[in-house]
Amino acid sequence: MSLHSLPLFVRLAGRPVILLGEGEAADAKRRLLERAGAVIVGEDAAAALAVVAIEDEGEALAAVDRLKARGLLVNAVDRPALCDFTTPAIIDRAPVLIAIGTGGVSAGLAAALRQRLEALLPAGLGRLADQLHHARAALRAHYPDGATRRRALGAALAAGGALDPMREDADVPRWIAGGQAIEQGRVRIALASPDPDALTLRQARWLANADRVVFHPGVPAAILDRARADAVRAAWGEAMAAHDGLTVELEMA
């Protein structure tokens, strides 16, 4: 399944960004850029990114053309077809940032989803991220093998796990001290539906933690996309080398 855009987090602190336009839309973009530490500059300045928040259609199109001719990536407010990049709705649980985008087609939908997720995500989510960051050395010492370490973290961070991000009391040092069972071996999933949303929580967790995914004919790409991006994928019947860790076999029921 292809992506209409590749989500990226860009560090803008101290970097120039061109902003053209006046009014509410331009003011909103200015606040967002300044919150990210960007330096707002005019059209003639050197920059890599530009935002065009001009209401007049002709003026906006002309400005977009000029900026793109210079090689800049442009965001044209309320004109998604002209955008090289879009700005998402943001949930801030520093250092965790969650961005919700619709490719520019519905800012209202992105805002509504942000409000729903804001109510669900615990305020302490950033604290969990900081704990994981500071525990990197301890994690490497406890799980020297990278694949084993990743599986342990995956199991702990899964729904109901010791470090479930939806919990307020997750404690990384306590989890490391207590040890963690590692999922490994081979799991076979007979899919009842080609819809990835029909996966059970356990099936979704297996896919998310799999080191290798073996799929039979007929398994849709949308299901395979639920596996880790760096998991090895192999069609059924392909020659495969010996492999440690967790292998998930997929077939349609």
Side-chain angles (χ1 to χ4, degrees):
M1 185 179 296
S2 61
L3 298 171
H4 63 70
S5 303
L6 177 64
L8 299 171
F9 289 88
V10 181
R11 296 184 185 274
L12 292 179
R15 302 181 66 179
V17 177
I18 294 171
L19 174 61
L20 304 181
E22 297 179 353
E24 292 183 5
D27 290 343
K29 294 296 186 182
R30 181 180 297 275
R31 288 192 296 271
L32 180 63
L33 292 169
E34 289 178 342
R35 186 177 171 190
V39 178
I40 308 300
V41 297
E43 182 175 353
D44 294 332
L49 300 178
V51 176
V52 176
I54 300 173
E55 292 187 8
D56 182 83
E57 185 73 10
E59 291 182 22
L61 291 175
V64 169
D65 287 342
R66 292 194 304 271
L67 292 164
K68 289 192 175 186
R70 291 170 50 189
L72 276 73
L73 297 177
V74 177
N75 170 261
V77 177
D78 291 334
R79 298 173 178 92
L82 300 178
C83 289
D84 297 309
F85 70 95
T86 56
T87 52
I90 297 172
I91 300 173
D92 188 356
R93 296 287 191 273
V96 177
L97 288 177
I98 298 172
I100 304 166
T102 62
V105 300
S106 178
L109 175 59
L113 291 172
R114 178 188 61 78
Q115 292 169 7
R116 294 282 188 93
L117 292 173
E118 280 274 15
L120 293 174
L121 295 172
L125 189 58
R127 182 181 65 85
L128 173 60
D130 284 331
Q131 283 190 1
L132 288 167
H133 173 71
H134 293 302
R136 287 184 301 174
L139 276 169
R140 289 192 183 97
H142 198 79
Y143 301 106
D145 176 69
T148 301
R149 184 166 60 248
R150 180 194 55 72
R151 289 195 299 275
L153 273 171
L157 291 166
L163 302 181
D164 185 341
M166 304 305 288
R167 295 176 53 168
E168 290 281 6
D169 62 344
D171 188 310
V172 175
R174 182 176 61 197
W175 167 70
I176 295 174
Q180 179 74 28
I182 308 298
E183 284 190 306
Q184 53 187 343
R186 190 181 188 95
V187 173
R188 177 178 168 273
I189 299 177
L191 300 165
S193 166
D195 183 355
D197 290 333
L199 291 167
T200 67
L201 287 175
R202 175 172 289 185
Q203 290 170 341
R205 190 190 72 227
W206 280 333
L207 272 175
N209 291 330
D211 299 286
R212 180 169 61 186
V213 178
V214 179
F215 55 95
H216 289 251
V219 174
I223 297 288
L224 295 175
D225 286 343
R226 292 298 178 94
R228 288 173 34 236
D230 58 346
V232 176
R233 289 163 172 75
W236 178 254
E238 287 184 7
M240 293 176 288
H243 195 280
D244 293 330
L246 177 63
T247 295
V248 172
E249 178 186 342
L250 297 172
E251 67 176 344
M252 299 305 300

